[in-house]
Amino acid sequence: MNKVITLLAGAALLTGAALTGSAATAATAPAPAPASADPATKAGHVQLSVDHLVAGQHETSTLWLDCPGVKKPDHPHRDEACTDLDAADGDFDRLPGRPGTRCAAVQDPVSVTARGISEGRRVNWSHSYANPCEMYVATGEVFNF
């Protein structure tokens, strides 16, 4: 009986020491960096679409914009589009566009959409413009494809 008690007491001491050692290690180990510090969380993978009404028919162009450009370059102006999105902190309503560009008052409707991840946040955005020039003034290179 003494042997059983001695074995149980020894096991309890070892378990207690192991737990104390784990707690001490956990207390001195550096905390992991917050997720926002990881540059990958600011990456973007956004599907862009431009729907243009031409001669009564809808013509839709769609491609992917990856920022930073880690995949094949679908977007013909990817670097400029990514710079614009970065300046807007991923908010399509705040794109810098191309202020100062003058557009003719022509009705040539165009609608744009963006769906995916931008600056680490989910995006589901759309907007319509009177013509492609007004779209370019508002969105710069992002929808210029």
Side-chain angles (χ1 to χ4, degrees):
M1 179 79 134
N2 275 344
K3 289 183 183 179
V4 172
I5 293 173
T6 305
L7 284 173
L8 289 176
L13 285 174
L14 286 175
T15 304
L19 288 175
T20 305
S22 298
T25 303
T28 59
S36 61
D38 181 6
T41 61
K42 295 200 77 148
H45 182 68
V46 182
Q47 183 182 44
L48 304 173
S49 297
V50 176
D51 184 51
H52 192 191
L53 190 62
V54 178
Q57 299 291 319
H58 287 274
E59 291 183 3
T60 303
S61 299
T62 302
L63 57 71
W64 287 95
L65 175 62
D66 290 303
C67 300
V70 293
K71 299 192 179 186
K72 68 178 184 148
D74 270 351
H75 197 294
H77 309 286
R78 179 177 61 197
D79 291 341
E80 296 89 346
C82 290
T83 298
D84 285 351
L85 264 176
D86 190 46
D89 197 29
D91 184 347
F92 281 77
D93 286 322
R94 293 180 38 217
L95 287 170
R98 299 299 177 263
T101 303
R102 298 177 53 90
C103 297
V106 175
Q107 274 303 105
D108 187 14
V110 62
S111 296
V112 295
T113 60
R115 289 183 175 78
I117 303 292
S118 179
E119 297 287 326
R121 293 182 297 271
R122 182 152 303 282
V123 173
N124 188 6
W125 181 87
S126 63
H127 196 82
S128 295
Y129 299 94
N131 56 55
C133 181
E134 287 188 11
M135 175 196 71
Y136 181 72
V137 168
T139 64
E141 299 299 335
V142 174
F143 291 97
N144 187 17
F145 55 89

